[in-house]
Amino acid sequence: MRIENSLRLHYRMLDEDDRDFVFQLNKNPEVMRYINGGKPTSREEVVRDFMPRLNAYKDVDKGWGVWKVSVIATQESIGFIIVRPMNFFSDAPSFEDLEFGWRFLQPSWGKGYATEAALHIKKIFSKLPEYKYMSAIAEPENKASIRVMEKMGMQYIKSYTHCDTQLGEFDVVLYRLEL
């Protein structure tokens, strides 16, 4: 799958050559604040944990993976959008429900890039008949991510304790859009 440019942004599937970009993104405590409590990720952790985790669900043909987002005008990489089956890292993944997630460099915050990217990718995947839902989770305090979910047309479903094999347990809100 290939994702065409949106108004201001270019999209490319993240690959092994993007380890340094992931490290730059994940080393900022503010970027990591609602992901792991603000603990910067080391280069070693990116190589040992993040990249293999990405490769576990990456499927280029289906568009599952991490889509690197760059600004067309400057060619600057600013973040990424995750697309994968909901609950992929559980005993019961939901292949008809796509999970969306995003992470952007702090200087790009407040410019509408996350919303533009999420809406653009949503538009593409919503046309595919194999998916019935699009979902996203965030910590309840992560108001910026929740605003992106709402702009995508997602509705609040529930609050619960999410269990992740790498990140542990944390309280989240689940938002979902029925297609």
Side-chain angles (χ1 to χ4, degrees), residues 73-87:
T74 63
Q75 299 184 351
E76 175 187 11
S77 299
I78 58 168
F80 60 68
I81 299 277
I82 293 171
V83 179
R84 65 179 171 217
M86 190 67 182
N87 300 314

Side-chain angles (χ1 to χ4, degrees), residues 93-110:
S94 178
F95 293 102
E96 62 185 21
D97 185 1
L98 284 181
E99 178 182 5
F100 279 62
W102 39 86
R103 195 173 305 172
F104 284 80
L105 291 168
Q106 196 171 9
S108 70
W109 294 358

Side-chain angles (χ1 to χ4, degrees), residues 1 62-63 83 98 121-128 134:
M1 174 181 281
K62 293 180 181 180
V83 179
L98 284 181
I121 292 175
K122 169 197 152 190
K123 181 179 171 183
I124 291 163
F125 281 93
S126 66
K127 294 176 184 175
L128 303 177
M134 291 180 179

